[in-house]
Amino acid sequence: MDRVPILKIGDILLVSIQGDLDDHTVLTLQEDIADKVVSTGAIGLIIDITAVEIVDSFVGRMLSTIAGMARMLDADTIVVGMRPAVAITLVELGLTLGGLRTALDLEKGIAMLNQGAATPADDLSAVGP
């Protein structure tokens, strides 16, 4: 897999990864997403990993890096479709996917982005005394 297609749906970019990623593909994807976020002015990025069976520590860190990079470019990132085995592996590796929010499926991911204003900081202020 050389390039992962990036689709634009309104203000959201959708990246559907259809197989396991090698290191080169991940690095290329990172650059492609940065360029696409800037060129489209996207406010959200959804990375669908439904077809991904293996996420190693490199790919996990790159997902976090992509989320951090997108955040710097004013786009929120949500990973959807994580398989239970992938989640278990990430936990066993001790990886925290900083800056990443997850949703079970694409529909829930789009709903999370559409709620955009409900950031964790906003949630905390609403709970205060």
Side-chain angles (χ1 to χ4, degrees), residues 62-90:
M62 291 311 295
L63 288 173
S64 290
T65 300
I66 288 170
M69 173 199 62
R71 188 173 42 253
M72 296 291 283
L73 297 172
D74 201 24
D76 198 10
T77 301
I78 297 178
V79 173
V80 301
M82 185 178 299
R83 292 176 178 222
V86 170
I88 291 168
T89 301
L90 290 173

Side-chain angles (χ1 to χ4, degrees), residues 3-83:
R3 287 239 192 283
V4 176
I6 302 171
L7 306 175
K8 183 177 183 300
I9 304 170
D11 292 336
I12 298 172
L13 297 178
L14 174 62
V15 178
S16 182
I17 299 172
Q18 296 299 312
D20 294 327
L21 299 173
D22 59 52
D23 295 355
H24 175 72
T25 303
V26 171
L27 293 173
T28 302
L29 177 60
Q30 180 180 352
E31 292 176 17
D32 290 349
I33 288 173
D35 290 341
K36 200 77 168 182
V37 168
V38 170
S39 69
T40 64
I43 61 167
L45 170 66
I46 294 178
I47 301 174
D48 180 4
I49 62 169
T50 303
V52 176
E53 294 184 16
I54 299 171
V55 174
D56 60 13
S57 60
F58 178 76
V59 174
R61 280 194 307 273
M62 291 311 295
L63 288 173
S64 290
T65 300
I66 288 170
M69 173 199 62
R71 188 173 42 253
M72 296 291 283
L73 297 172
D74 201 24
D76 198 10
T77 301
I78 297 178
V79 173
V80 301
M82 185 178 299
R83 292 176 178 222

